Amino acid sequence: MNDEKGNLYLGDAIIALSILFIVMLMLNTMVSLPNPTYSDISHNSKDAQDVMEILSGKVNFHDKTFLSEITAILKENKNSKKSVSEVSQLCDEKFDEFKLENYRFVETNHLDSKILSDSGDFTKADDVSVATRNFDGYSYTLYVW
């Protein structure tokens, strides 16, 4: 008779655990946390990254990137005022192609944070997307808002 009582307790415990497990599964499916959608929040967060990828990307291995071209101009002319103005003009033309309304393109390493191209009022920017790329010792930062 002792064996029969032990089996009864074991069976009762298995049934109780099974019921508890089923209740936990039901609660888990009934209570679901909503997944936040960040599409509204980060709508423009990748603008600067996307543009910098275009500026630093190659179509094939024989093409020069835009950043390599402006770096070569600056480096060959030893960051002269003439080379900075030439690069600024190239940057203005390039950013006009992207149709960005508010941006600022800066070289922060050799030119002491010289603004190469900009559009819009940076002081009124509230949501700024930033991307930085380095090329041959020059560090270019793009702000888009």
Side-chain angles (χ1 to χ4, degrees):
M1 270 204 163
N2 283 342
D3 285 338
E4 289 177 10
K5 286 184 181 178
N7 287 336
L8 185 63
Y9 288 127
L10 183 63
D12 193 28
I14 291 174
I15 292 171
L17 287 175
S18 298
I19 292 172
L20 183 64
F21 183 70
I22 290 170
V23 168
M24 293 289 285
L25 283 175
M26 288 174 53
L27 282 174
N28 190 26
T29 57
M30 287 174 49
V31 177
S32 64
L33 297 174
N35 291 334
T37 56
Y38 297 109
S39 62
D40 295 336
I41 298 168
S42 63
H43 178 65
N44 293 327
S45 69
K46 295 185 180 179
D47 284 347
Q49 292 291 340
D50 294 341
V51 172
M52 283 300 264
E53 283 298 316
I54 293 169
L55 296 177
S56 62
K58 293 183 178 181
V59 176
N60 60 38
F61 292 110
H62 303 293
D63 292 340
K64 283 188 170 184
T65 65
F66 180 76
L67 293 183
S68 68
E69 289 178 16
I70 63 174
T71 301
I73 293 169
L74 291 171
K75 201 170 205 178
E76 288 171 3
N77 297 309
K78 298 178 183 170
N79 303 328
S80 67
K81 288 184 180 182
K82 182 181 177 188
S83 66
V84 171
S85 66
E86 182 181 348
V87 166
S88 292
Q89 183 179 359
L90 288 172
C91 290
D92 288 341
E93 292 170 4
K94 190 63 152 179
F95 287 113
D96 284 344
E97 292 175 15
F98 295 130
K99 296 181 174 77
L100 294 174
E101 292 180 17
N102 299 312
Y103 66 89
R104 179 174 281 184
F105 187 63
V106 179
E107 199 291 319
T108 56
N109 195 22
H110 289 285
L111 301 179
D112 195 30
S113 296
K114 173 76 175 163
I115 298 172
L116 298 175
S117 181
D118 69 340
S119 175
D121 190 3
F122 191 66
T123 59
K124 295 180 181 178
D126 55 347
D127 184 24
V128 181
S129 173
V130 181
T132 301
R133 296 290 184 279
N134 297 313
F135 190 86
D136 203 16
Y138 288 80
S139 181
Y140 300 100
T141 303
L142 176 65
Y143 304 91
V144 178
W145 64 96

